[in-house]
Amino acid sequence: MTVLFGTHPEYLEHDTGLYHPESASRLEVITSVLDRFGDGIVRFQPTPASAAAVTGVHNGSHVAEIRQLCLMGGGPIDADTQVGYQSYDIALLAAGAGLDAIARLQRGEGDAAFVAVRPPGHHATADTSMGFCLFNNIAIAAKTLVDQGERVLIVDIDAHHGNGTQDIFYGEQSVLYVSIHQHPLYPGTGRVSDVGVSRGVGLTINIPLPPRTSGQTALAALESIASSSITSFEPTWMLISAGFDGHRADPLTDLGYSSDDFFNFTRWALQYVPKQRTVAFLEGGYDLAALAESTVAAIEALLGASRKPDQLVPAGSVDKDLIAALSRMRSAALRHHDIDPPSH
Ligand SMILES: [Zn+2]
């Protein structure tokens, strides 16, 4: 098994300002731990996404505004999100990583791919850059696959809800969006009752989790609430928003995951798609040691490595009441749309 690993030295040049948690150090710690995988990792340097691929998801005028802001030297977009002179070109390189990974997997160059990109993407909507994100890298890749006739499962394990990704595909019948995220937390979206609109009804699955939720409960919630819907969707590709800020050490969030949980989430998701059809995109993760460990865990799962039980955190208790309540709320929302909830 080999995992294609895409990253680019220019990602380090995206300047978010002093003391910003989304810093270049994040990629430096990730790349510093890759040697342990030996030949299991095949590195590649991404090329920029085309303007057509980006405007397949984002409004042309919005893309032009970001470019203009960068050309003028950069500046703040909102309280969390800023750009420097090079950020537009770097954002195109980040979006291109997913597209290159897909093309390489289609050519049979690896069994799965992980792209370690900056800036991240899942908060970016069609016309708004926000939450450290300029362009929605995973959405641009998903749209490209949909245009090729594929059915795309997006699994978003970042601690924050991927409001941009949900928004872009909310009425889309060829994309199933599944998110586990802390609630309440930025950006405040991702209610369990948000299930999609028109042809996309039922194809948004939000699993909001209270602070301190364990990885065991999150995994059980995924299995209980999303599993049958994913199976009946019959995805041909899977894209993972691999944010690691749900780690219990993360300074921005309050979830209770360990790095082993990211191994388990990734391994769980892999059962739904054929080999050579998975790309994981780096999103958040702001404690540098936890970020490195968690990335290693996710890549181990992509490699199909099995961990001995004693390497995993002992199974903790699962909050079954929480899962039952979320299931009931989702079923009620689906019935409101005259959709029979999938049987479990
Ligand atoms: Zn996040």
Side-chain angles (χ1 to χ4, degrees), residues 143-232:
K143 177 68 166 60
T144 300
L145 286 169
V146 167
D147 289 346
Q148 295 174 11
E150 304 289 352
R151 299 175 60 74
V152 184
L153 166 64
I154 297 179
V155 178
D156 189 329
I157 58 174
D158 191 278
H160 301 90
H161 180 242
N163 61 296
T165 312
Q166 169 177 302
D167 199 52
I168 287 162
F169 297 117
Y170 208 49
E172 168 61 56
Q173 63 182 345
S174 300
V175 175
L176 172 58
Y177 177 72
V178 179
S179 175
I180 45 172
H181 48 272
Q182 181 184 327
H183 181 81
L185 186 68
Y186 180 92
T189 52
R191 292 179 304 175
V192 68
S193 56
D194 294 340
V195 295
V197 287
S198 65
R199 292 187 302 179
V201 168
L203 298 181
T204 290
I205 302 180
N206 282 318
I207 304 176
L209 303 167
R212 291 180 290 286
T213 298
S214 69
Q216 288 89 352
T217 292
L219 185 63
L222 280 169
E223 176 67 26
S224 174
I225 298 169
S227 187
S228 57
S229 297
I230 297 173
T231 302
S232 53

Side-chain angles (χ1 to χ4, degrees), residues 122-123 158-160 243 245 253 283-286:
H122 73 152
H123 292 308
D158 191 278
H160 301 90
D245 44 9
T253 73
E283 301 280 4
Y286 306 101

Side-chain angles (χ1 to χ4, degrees), residues 13-278:
E13 306 300 324
H14 172 52
D15 185 3
T16 48
L18 272 181
Y19 309 120
H20 197 289
E22 203 292 283
S23 69
S25 313
R26 301 177 58 239
L27 294 193
E28 289 168 343
V29 296
I30 289 174
T31 49
S32 73
V33 295
L34 289 180
D35 284 347
R36 71 176 69 188
F37 291 111
D39 296 340
I41 293 268
V42 175
R43 299 178 194 229
F44 72 95
Q45 250 188 26
T47 56
S50 67
V54 175
T55 54
V57 160
H58 295 285
N59 295 347
S61 58
H62 170 61
V63 175
E65 277 172 28
I66 298 290
R67 180 167 180 265
Q68 193 63 31
L69 177 61
C70 294
L71 283 177
M72 293 191 311
I77 293 174
D78 63 25
D80 305 312
T81 316
Q82 37 191 325
V83 292
Y85 178 72
Q86 294 170 279
S87 295
Y88 173 79
D89 289 332
I90 298 169
L92 292 184
L93 261 183
L99 304 178
D100 286 354
I102 288 167
R104 286 172 182 269
L105 290 174
Q106 287 171 331
R107 292 196 297 265
E109 294 179 19
D111 296 296
F114 187 101
V115 293
V117 297
R118 293 182 66 239
H122 73 152
H123 292 308
T125 69
D127 58 8
T128 307
S129 297
M130 57 184 277
F132 314 164
C133 304
L134 298 184
F135 302 140
N136 195 315
N137 307 314
I138 198 165
I140 289 166
K143 177 68 166 60
T144 300
L145 286 169
V146 167
D147 289 346
Q148 295 174 11
E150 304 289 352
R151 299 175 60 74
V152 184
L153 166 64
I154 297 179
V155 178
D156 189 329
I157 58 174
D158 191 278
H160 301 90
H161 180 242
N163 61 296
T165 312
Q166 169 177 302
D167 199 52
I168 287 162
F169 297 117
Y170 208 49
E172 168 61 56
Q173 63 182 345
S174 300
V175 175
L176 172 58
Y177 177 72
V178 179
S179 175
I180 45 172
H181 48 272
Q182 181 184 327
H183 181 81
L185 186 68
Y186 180 92
T189 52
R191 292 179 304 175
V192 68
S193 56
D194 294 340
V195 295
V197 287
S198 65
R199 292 187 302 179
V201 168
L203 298 181
T204 290
I205 302 180
N206 282 318
I207 304 176
L209 303 167
R212 291 180 290 286
T213 298
S214 69
Q216 288 89 352
T217 292
L219 185 63
L222 280 169
E223 176 67 26
S224 174
I225 298 169
S227 187
S228 57
S229 297
I230 297 173
T231 302
S232 53
F233 178 71
E234 296 181 347
T236 57
W237 274 82
M238 176 168 63
L239 307 179
I240 301 175
S241 266
F244 302 113
D245 44 9
H247 193 287
R248 59 183 67 135
D250 196 275
L252 267 54
T253 73
D254 312 293
L255 288 173
Y257 306 161
S258 67
S259 55
D260 287 327
D261 291 319
F262 293 104
F263 176 89
N264 291 332
F265 298 153
T266 308
R267 184 175 58 177
W268 173 84
L270 284 166
Q271 67 183 300
Y272 297 103
V273 284
K275 272 188 185 173
Q276 303 185 322
R277 292 296 178 265
T278 295

